[in-house]
Amino acid sequence: PKFNQYWERHKDWEPVSPMPDVIIENGKCKSAPIEWFFPEKGSFAIGKKVCAVCVVQQECLDFAVESKIRHGVWGGPPENVTE
């Protein structure tokens, strides 16, 4: 789905484990434009607002931290949360 666009942009990165189905199926981001979470330039504000009301916010953040993802909005924090 939509996250494939992310993987295409960041081919140097591979997740430690596959993204959990609970995130893919229940994430508020699944119906939002990918640019809100992975902007080429600009603000992450819209993506963070979507994450703030998402039922899988913590699972998404945990996945990002465990997978050492360094790009985009995952669970609401700013881009550099995993650095």
Side-chain angles (χ1 to χ4, degrees):
K2 191 179 294 194
F3 287 103
N4 290 339
Q5 295 174 29
Y6 173 79
W7 311 140
E8 285 300 313
R9 276 196 233 168
H10 302 284
K11 292 182 180 190
D12 59 327
W13 173 85
E14 190 169 320
V16 176
S17 61
M19 182 182 295
D21 288 341
V22 69
I23 296 172
I24 295 169
E25 294 168 5
N26 300 304
K28 292 277 187 192
C29 57
K30 74 179 182 181
S31 61
I34 192 81
E35 295 80 22
W36 291 358
F37 306 93
F38 306 101
E40 292 292 324
K41 58 182 177 180
S43 173
F44 291 93
I46 296 173
K48 287 193 260 184
K49 286 180 181 179
V50 172
C51 291
V53 296
C54 185
V55 297
V56 293
Q57 179 183 20
Q58 189 61 53
E59 291 90 339
C60 188
L61 177 59
D62 292 345
F63 172 76
V65 171
E66 290 168 10
S67 298
K68 298 180 172 66
I69 298 174
R70 298 180 183 262
H71 307 284
V73 176
W74 295 82
E79 179 175 291
N80 63 356
V81 71
T82 60
E83 291 182 6

